[in-house]
Amino acid sequence: MGVVARRFVFGVAIWNLELGKTQIFPLHLFVIVIITVLQAPCSTLRRARLHPLPRRGAQSPRPQRSPQRPRRFPPRRRLRRGVPPSIWCAAAALPSADQQQQLRSSSSIRGRGGNNSDNLQTVLGSRGRGRPLLRSRAVVTRTMAAPVPIMVNDLTGKMGRAVADAVVARGGDTCFLVPVAFSGRAKPPVDVSGVMVEVSGLAGEGSNPGAVLEELKQKYPGLVVVDYTLPKAVNANADLYMAHGVPFVMGTTGGDRVKLFEDVRAAAHFAIIAPQMGKQVVAFQAAMKLMAENFPGAFKGCKLTVTESHQSSKVDTSGTAKALVESFNGLGCEFGISEVELVRDVPTQLGAMGVPEEHLVGHAFHTYRLTSPDGTVSFEFQHNVCGRSIYAEGTVDAALFLSNMVGGVGGAPRRGGGKTVYDMIDVLKEGGMVTN
């Protein structure tokens, strides 16, 4: 109230000065001083009444919280004696041993992708005063999901062996290597990083691959097969896997690809069919495919040359080159697969291609060169890969992705919207690739 009075008197004084009544101005100042002097003790008494000083020897009372001001934090709940709050809450969220076993055997809970919160809540229920248990997919499902059994055919070859080593290295609660593999003929057992694998024959006297697959399906629910055999065996092996209802990853190139896709789609069988398993190379393929779809005819009239160098054991044109040639043709080039230059001799690989000597037994050097009709403009696309680890890791990612699409160990198909045939671009879009 004193502040308002002072402001009012001061305003009247200024107004009188503007009117020329200077003799009244000192009176106004005197009134302002009187109001200030009278207000000071009143303010002091008000503060003393609201916050009285404690008597000598008495403890200072705690200030009372205003009833209009809400509590900033909820009241503490009574905790168990001797247990810190954070540990008790975490223990309350963890399932018991029986519940963990039920989670491991549940076919509807997977470790990769999917909406598992409802499944976890159904299995675990709730505990305490209506507090739900831990429903984090990233923590619970990855640690409690059953590992995926992966069968690698033929692991006696270089690519198959690299994939088998990658499966064992990935290991843990993610996947494991099935100790049985197919080859053209029965062979002695193979030691893969400590896992002894029996090699059964696909053909020959006494071989019965169908019976072997049925036995493995019963012993290893959720079985996924990886195929790195020979081009001439692609279609027959796919028929074998489809006949016994085993999802497969076809990494082998060659065979009748049109028939392969038609048969698998007609059977609505789960499979990944991809000529290229290296994730970075797949991303390049996807980019070229998008370019062809969005800019058709952009390189019309240009001359295309394709040169690929692989180890001498690879006899056919790579599926990567075939896929990229298709994209280049969509961009306006006219190029046939038979025109691809296959480099398999060591002197050319060491000289013109620049392949390191230590990688002659396992490499993939591809060069795609476009030249304008008048020869004044040229474009060159190149990807050089040494070793097989990029393909092996991508293959394991593909097998885990396929298991997730099928529904996991013993589960029913639950994802994909009716789609059953996938490629590595689908795996890339899922975002489950492991980066080397």
Side-chain angles (χ1 to χ4, degrees):
M1 184 63 187
V3 176
V4 176
R6 286 199 301 269
R7 289 180 179 176
F8 174 75
V9 175
F10 185 74
V12 173
I14 297 298
W15 178 63
N16 288 330
L17 282 176
E18 292 177 352
L19 295 178
K21 299 178 181 180
T22 58
Q23 67 277 9
I24 309 179
F25 183 72
L27 177 60
H28 291 147
L29 293 180
F30 177 74
V31 173
I32 292 174
V33 172
I34 294 301
I35 294 175
T36 305
V37 172
L38 292 177
Q39 185 191 12
C42 296
S43 301
T44 304
L45 290 174
R46 187 185 306 111
R47 285 195 297 269
R49 190 164 52 250
L50 292 177
H51 305 287
L53 293 176
R55 294 190 302 272
R56 180 176 298 180
Q59 293 184 354
S60 176
R62 295 180 61 182
Q64 297 297 323
R65 186 179 300 273
S66 174
Q68 291 78 15
R69 184 178 179 183
R71 296 183 64 92
R72 182 173 297 179
F73 301 104
R76 292 185 177 180
R77 292 181 177 177
R78 186 169 54 189
L79 303 180
R80 296 185 181 180
R81 183 176 299 175
V83 182
S86 59
I87 297 178
W88 177 69
C89 294
L94 293 177
S96 63
D98 295 337
Q99 291 170 338
Q100 292 182 17
Q101 182 62 31
Q102 187 177 359
L103 276 174
R104 293 190 184 96
S105 61
S106 174
S107 61
S108 62
I109 301 179
R110 295 289 308 124
R112 286 182 170 249
N115 183 6
N116 302 314
S117 59
D118 295 337
N119 297 332
L120 286 175
Q121 185 67 14
T122 301
V123 175
L124 299 181
S126 61
R127 186 177 301 182
R129 300 177 181 176
R131 295 189 298 273
L133 292 179
L134 186 62
R135 301 173 69 178
S136 172
R137 178 180 61 194
V139 176
V140 176
T141 57
R142 281 187 180 275
T143 58
M144 295 183 181
V148 178
I150 300 178
M151 178 184 186
V152 181
N153 305 328
D154 174 10
L155 53 71
T156 60
K158 293 183 175 62
M159 190 63 235
R161 179 55 186 266
V163 174
D165 287 332
V167 173
V168 176
R170 188 78 63 92
D173 58 356
T174 305
C175 58
F176 66 91
L177 182 65
V178 174
V180 179
F182 286 148
S183 184
R185 302 285 178 178
K187 298 176 182 179
V190 178
D191 185 357
V192 181
S193 302
V195 179
M196 294 302 299
V197 181
E198 177 185 349
V199 182
S200 180
L202 286 168
E205 184 178 356
S207 61
N208 190 352
V212 174
L213 273 182
E214 289 296 330
E215 182 180 352
L216 293 177
K217 283 176 56 181
Q218 297 298 323
K219 190 174 182 179
Y220 304 103
L223 175 69
V224 176
V225 173
V226 171
D227 190 289
Y228 278 103
T229 53
L230 295 175
K232 63 182 180 181
V234 166
N235 295 95
N237 289 352
D239 292 340
L240 173 66
Y241 305 144
M242 288 188 290
H244 295 277
V246 180
F248 64 90
V249 178
M250 182 59 70
T252 312
T253 59
D256 190 340
R257 309 300 282 194
V258 176
K259 184 178 186 301
L260 175 63
F261 277 99
E262 290 178 351
D263 292 346
V264 176
R265 288 194 177 105
H269 190 81
F270 282 91
I272 291 180
I273 303 174
Q276 170 62 251
M277 294 292 178
K279 41 192 168 290
Q280 291 84 2
V281 181
V282 171
F284 173 58
Q285 286 182 237
M288 294 304 301
K289 185 177 180 180
L290 287 174
M291 183 185 290
E293 292 173 353
N294 290 278
F295 308 107
F299 290 98
K300 187 175 182 179
C302 291
K303 179 183 177 182
L304 175 65
T305 59
V306 180
T307 305
E308 66 160 45
S309 173
H310 285 268
Q311 58 276 5
S312 58
S313 59
K314 185 172 181 59
V315 296
D316 61 330
T317 303
S318 69
T320 304
K322 293 177 181 178
L324 287 171
V325 164
E326 183 179 353
S327 296
F328 280 116
N329 287 337
L331 289 166
C333 303
E334 296 180 359
F335 190 85
I337 297 298
S338 59
E339 301 177 60
V340 176
E341 180 184 358
L342 306 180
V343 179
R344 300 293 186 267
D345 61 292
V346 173
T348 305
Q349 290 176 338
L350 292 174
M353 301 300 295
V355 179
E357 186 174 0
E358 62 271 21
H359 292 294
L360 287 173
V361 295
H363 69 278
F365 280 37
H366 290 210
T367 302
Y368 308 87
R369 186 178 179 85
L370 291 161
T371 307
S372 63
D374 58 0
T376 59
V377 181
S378 64
F379 296 86
E380 191 171 279
F381 302 87
Q382 187 178 75
H383 57 88
N384 300 335
V385 178
C386 295
R388 298 180 175 86
S389 62
I390 184 175
Y391 311 118
E393 291 294 340
T395 303
V396 178
D397 292 330
L400 297 176
F401 168 88
L402 187 61
S403 175
N404 192 43
M405 294 298 107
V406 173
V409 180
R414 59 187 175 90
R415 299 188 58 189
K419 183 176 180 180
T420 58
V421 182
Y422 304 91
D423 56 21
M424 287 300 289
I425 295 178
D426 295 313
V427 182
L428 273 177
K429 291 179 179 178
E430 182 74 6
M433 304 295 283
V434 173
T435 303
N436 291 334

